[in-house]
Amino acid sequence: MIGHVYAKFSEEEEAADALNVMNNRYYDGRRMEVEFSPVTDFREARCRDFDEESCRRGGFCNFMHIKPVPMCLIRDMEEDAEDERRRDEMERRRKEERRSRSKRDRKDGHRHRSSRRDRRSRSRSRSRSRSPGGGRDEA
């Protein structure tokens, strides 16, 4: 059990998200291989000798030696999560700007086209009213 880490989540979806994010990342120069554990009651899998500071098997013990998560790891993970949130927010804003810009461009293009049509129809109606024959073009 050397190097195994177990994390318990209250929601299965959170566990799946953590698995996807953490799998194949590197920690302390070693690649992490993350998988779901069939253990449902971690109290049964704990080494009682380790809890009493008397386990002599060390890393070769078949039970879990529960250790607190180092604060440096927690900080690193929080910083990574915050960086990812910032990147996602920036990307979301860029997409919104692009959408609003394309909507504006479409509206502006529609205005230009419709104003050209209006000018054309006004000029035609003027020329028809001036032409002999009651507004009909004669060939």
Side-chain angles (χ1 to χ4, degrees):
M1 306 250 314
I2 295 173
H4 286 81
V5 175
Y6 293 86
K8 187 174 181 178
F9 293 86
S10 56
E11 299 291 324
E12 192 173 326
E13 188 175 307
E14 291 174 357
D17 289 345
L19 183 140
N20 290 328
V21 168
M22 300 303 290
N23 197 32
N24 293 320
R25 288 183 69 177
Y26 284 84
Y27 176 71
D28 198 27
R30 296 172 64 189
R31 195 180 78 161
M32 294 187 283
E33 294 177 17
V34 182
E35 59 186 41
F36 289 117
S37 171
V39 176
T40 55
D41 188 359
F42 284 90
R43 291 174 296 191
E44 305 255 336
R46 290 177 76 134
C47 176
R48 288 181 184 80
D49 291 341
F50 180 79
D51 290 344
E52 297 168 5
E53 299 177 15
S54 63
C55 181
R56 294 188 185 142
R57 294 178 295 275
F60 298 102
C61 183
N62 288 328
F63 291 95
M64 292 191 322
H65 291 183
I66 307 290
K67 299 176 183 176
V69 178
M71 281 308 294
C72 62
L73 176 60
I74 292 172
R75 273 188 243 110
D76 283 351
M77 291 175 72
E78 287 173 345
E79 287 172 8
D80 287 351
E82 188 59 35
D83 289 346
E84 193 168 326
R85 276 189 216 105
R86 277 193 214 109
R87 281 193 301 273
D88 290 347
E89 180 64 22
M90 287 174 57
E91 185 62 30
R92 188 186 62 76
R93 285 180 185 164
R94 278 191 213 117
K95 285 180 181 178
E96 280 182 18
E97 285 176 20
R98 277 189 234 127
R99 270 191 228 117
S100 64
R101 205 174 305 132
S102 68
K103 281 182 182 178
R104 239 181 298 130
D105 291 348
R106 274 187 255 135
K107 284 181 182 178
D108 289 346
H110 180 69
R111 282 187 202 136
H112 292 305
R113 273 188 246 117
S114 63
S115 65
R116 272 188 243 134
R117 264 190 246 124
D118 291 346
R119 274 186 256 136
R120 272 193 231 129
S121 64
R122 272 188 247 133
S123 67
R124 282 185 194 143
S125 64
R126 282 187 203 136
S127 66
R128 284 183 183 153
S129 63
R130 290 183 193 147
S131 66
R136 279 183 254 138
D137 290 339
E138 293 184 32

